[in-house]
Amino acid sequence: MEHRVLKGFPADFLWGSASAAYQIEGAPFEDGKKASVWDNFVRIPGKTFKGTNGDVAVDHYHRYKEDVALMKELGLKSYRFSVAWSRIFPDGKGKVNEPGLKFYSDLIDELIANNIEPVVTIYHWDLPQALEDEYHGWESRQIIPDFVNYAETLFNAFKGRVKYWISLNEQNVFTQHGWVLATHPPGKKDMKLFYQVNHHANLVNAAVINKFHELNIPGEIGPSFAYTPNYSIDSNPKNVLAAENAEEIFANFWMDVYCQGVYPIVALTYLKENNLMFDMEEGDEELLKSAHPNFLGINYYQSSANAWNPINGGVQIGEMNTTGVKGSGGEQGIPGVYKKVSNPAVDRTNWDWEIDPMGIRIALRRITSRYRIPVMITENGLGEYDKPEESQVHDDYRIAYLSSHVKSIQEAISDGASVIGYHTWSYTDLLSWLNGYQKRYGFIYVDQDETMEGSLKRIPKDSYYWYQNVIKTNGQEL
Ligand code: BG6
């Protein structure tokens, strides 16, 4: 619907920005930290763009005060960052590594001293290698008590100072990349195992949320889901059905579990028919149903148009574009279920991510109607080539992307969605897991590249000053 007048953003709206430990910190073995699965995976030849790794990243571990000072100048209301599990428990469990905990404690104090609300992601993909070695990490249910113990340590250490917690970042992404595409650790291609691992992650998520509520930690907790809303390419009922399939298997399959504690029926039928069904143990269903997130975190980058894909001879999983050459990504699909096709109604980035601001509104409306839960946008942003010119970066394309998405969120709020915050991806430029430093997202340019020998100088881009004004006017000037 069109609104004659849009509702304003709530007065306490969290205008934020986000990052993740491995992508910014560096210092992988400092102050007692031991390896995470990413510290090792990046050393396998051919796994990352030009062999980039996070050994230095953008050196946030040593420069966090400088980074927070720039946040203050920007006027950020909140900052979402993740904790590296192996800084807190170098072996995944056992004795707490106090210097590791102190790093995050100091960061939180620094944020609070500058009136910035910390939003803490408990897990953004960097599993301690020790747990991978001991029991194959997510493949074993042993991860449940170890994860809960880790999360409880953070809850107790930071309670009262941290009000917003993200349990898992993009469970749908790390499980698919790790066990279907082999592009993230542990680099496997095993569809059945993927569904089993994913079920364990659901149990972890539920157990952590329950622990948070049992301990009466003041604040709110929820998972962050990478939601790519599915459309049909046209009104052909076969294509509409394909889009419904994609929505059921790639969206509701996670969000229904988070918000309603049940797996969607069509998805379960598909798994059973294809011998992909995971083991459910006694008590699992009850655990999933008993957990109630306070909000749903949504990472939104793009939508997806879908078409019919025949069971015989249909398109399979294809190559992702990690080259930055527009049009180099292959078609993706599951025969008999769906295939993703190019949407002629929208433009795309150099990495073939479809630019669709209205998609974030559609996403928010679907979530509001289906789950009636508040949403925190935990990521949204544009990855592009940025080039500094005389100590300035003119990223008008990023301003256009962000501004149109914020406007669309305002429209969703006017439609009735409850949105508590907006975190751009990302605060500074950082290491893209698979794309090195050529694909940049930050408000702040960092002089770092694939040689990993940059000066690490920080340069606020034009988008930094644009966002400063957005925050100052509480979203009235976009
Ligand atoms: C999200 C992740 O999937 O997208 C981030 O939570 C990631 O960690 C971001 O960096 C952008 O992805 P990419 O591949 O463009 O760096």
Side-chain angles (χ1 to χ4, degrees):
M1 72 186 92
E2 275 186 82
H3 301 284
R4 286 190 198 283
V5 182
L6 292 181
K7 273 196 191 156
F9 286 92
D12 56 355
F13 193 72
L14 296 172
W15 293 103
S17 194
S19 69
Y22 188 71
Q23 298 179 272
I24 60 167
E25 287 177 0
F29 304 109
E30 229 169 284
D31 294 334
K33 179 180 175 295
K34 287 193 186 168
S36 80
V37 288
W38 270 97
D39 287 309
N40 292 339
F41 188 74
V42 290
R43 305 199 193 274
I44 304 172
K47 287 294 185 191
T48 62
F49 181 72
K50 294 193 178 169
T52 36
N53 64 50
D55 284 5
V56 178
V58 295
D59 198 33
H60 174 75
Y61 193 76
H62 301 115
R63 294 168 194 249
Y64 76 89
K65 287 197 175 168
E66 181 186 350
D67 289 340
V68 175
L70 282 165
M71 286 178 205
K72 163 110 177 147
E73 199 182 322
L74 173 56
L76 275 197
K77 302 281 185 207
S78 55
Y79 173 56
R80 172 182 177 233
F81 63 93
S82 80
V83 175
W85 185 341
S86 66
R87 284 199 197 283
I88 312 301
F89 290 104
D91 293 312
K93 55 186 164 180
K95 202 169 159 293
V96 173
N97 176 42
E98 293 299 338
L101 199 60
K102 183 174 182 308
F103 168 71
Y104 296 106
S105 180
D106 290 349
L107 170 63
I108 289 165
D109 286 346
E110 190 74 11
L111 290 167
I112 293 171
N114 287 288
N115 289 321
I116 301 161
E117 194 73 59
V119 176
V120 174
T121 307
I122 299 170
Y123 185 78
H124 201 126
W125 309 350
D126 43 358
L127 181 80
Q129 181 65 42
L131 301 184
E132 185 64 31
D133 295 342
E134 188 186 331
Y135 51 72
H136 296 297
W138 289 102
E139 292 171 29
S140 163
R141 296 173 73 102
Q142 287 186 59
I143 195 165
I144 305 170
D146 286 344
F147 195 113
V148 173
N149 172 56
Y150 158 57
E152 191 174 344
T153 305
L154 300 185
F155 295 152
N156 286 326
F158 305 144
K159 71 171 170 234
R161 288 187 283 164
V162 173
K163 293 194 205 120
Y164 297 96
W165 297 84
I166 309 296
S167 44
L168 298 178
N169 179 67
E170 296 190 350
Q171 178 187 333
N172 55 327
V173 172
F174 83 76
T175 52
Q176 289 184 83
H177 277 271
W179 284 268
V180 180
L181 303 166
T183 44
H184 282 193
K188 296 189 182 174
K189 289 189 180 179
D190 183 334
M191 197 60 105
K192 190 159 168 123
L193 188 54
F194 151 67
Y195 281 109
Q196 190 63 49
V197 159
N198 181 63
H199 181 59
H200 297 161
N202 278 327
L203 298 172
V204 161
N205 183 62
V208 165
I209 290 174
N210 281 349
K211 178 58 74 179
F212 180 81
H213 290 135
E214 256 167 57
L215 293 172
N216 270 319
I217 305 291
E220 304 192 354
I221 189 166
S224 274
F225 179 67
Y227 184 25
T228 299
N230 288 285
Y231 307 155
S232 173
I233 191 65
D234 59 24
S235 56
N236 180 332
K238 282 172 90 170
N239 295 334
V240 174
L241 189 67
E244 297 270 325
N245 288 340
E247 189 71 5
E248 194 82 341
I249 293 174
F250 292 101
N252 301 341
F253 189 66
W254 281 273
M255 293 196 291
D256 281 9
V257 177
Y258 293 148
C259 300
Q260 300 174 331
V262 287
Y263 287 99
I265 290 170
V266 171
L268 286 184
T269 307
Y270 164 76
L271 293 193
K272 285 176 192 155
E273 237 180 69
N274 290 280
N275 194 27
L276 295 170
M277 188 59 197
F278 46 89
D279 297 331
M280 285 265 234
E281 290 188 7
E282 216 188 305
D284 286 1
E285 273 183 23
E286 291 70 21
L287 174 56
L288 296 181
K289 278 218 179 91
S290 65
H292 301 290
N294 302 94
F295 62 86
L296 183 62
I298 288 294
N299 295 355
Y300 175 85
Y301 289 90
Q302 56 179 330
S303 59
S304 178
N306 297 277
W308 184 250
N309 193 21
I311 200 159
N312 293 316
V315 173
Q316 310 259 2
I317 292 163
E319 288 288 299
M320 261 177 76
N321 170 354
T322 52
T323 60
V325 178
K326 215 171 178 173
S328 65
E331 277 197 328
Q332 308 273 349
I334 303 177
V337 179
Y338 85 107
K339 78 172 167 187
K340 175 176 166 25
V341 291
S342 179
N343 183 348
V346 300
D347 194 7
R348 47 198 51 74
T349 72
N350 284 314
W351 280 262
D352 291 324
W353 290 27
E354 298 197 326
I355 303 174
D356 176 17
M358 199 178 279
I360 200 167
R361 179 178 181 188
I362 292 168
L364 286 166
R365 288 167 49 127
R366 286 185 185 171
I367 292 165
T368 301
S369 301
R370 196 172 172 104
Y371 308 117
R372 292 175 183 263
I373 190 170
V375 174
M376 181 192 285
I377 300 295
T378 37
E379 287 179 31
N380 174 237
L382 176 68
E384 264 308 332
Y385 300 104
D386 289 329
K387 286 275 164 287
E389 293 163 38
E390 294 166 6
S391 284
Q392 295 189 331
V393 179
H394 302 302
D395 56 344
D396 46 316
Y397 38 88
R398 181 166 295 106
I399 295 173
Y401 179 100
L402 296 174
S403 144
S404 57
H405 284 72
V406 173
K407 175 90 189 303
S408 197
I409 293 170
Q410 193 181 359
E411 278 160 345
I413 292 174
S414 305
D415 293 334
S418 160
V419 186
I420 59 178
Y422 174 72
H423 297 82
T424 65
W425 188 264
S426 50
Y427 172 56
T428 60
D429 285 344
L430 42 71
L431 173 71
S432 166
W433 307 92
L434 304 180
N435 304 284
Y437 296 94
Q438 55 163 0
K439 190 181 188 190
R440 293 172 181 269
Y441 283 90
F443 284 132
I444 296 176
Y445 183 89
V446 180
D447 181 25
Q448 177 65 302
D449 60 22
E450 281 70 43
T451 64
M452 295 181 279
E453 288 172 359
S455 72
L456 298 163
K457 189 175 169 217
R458 272 77 169 138
I459 304 172
K461 302 178 191 175
D462 287 357
S463 56
Y464 175 96
Y465 298 104
W466 166 81
Y467 200 47
Q468 195 175 46
N469 190 52
V470 172
I471 300 174
K472 206 189 292 163
T473 61
N474 199 30
Q476 279 180 17
E477 287 176 24
L478 297 175

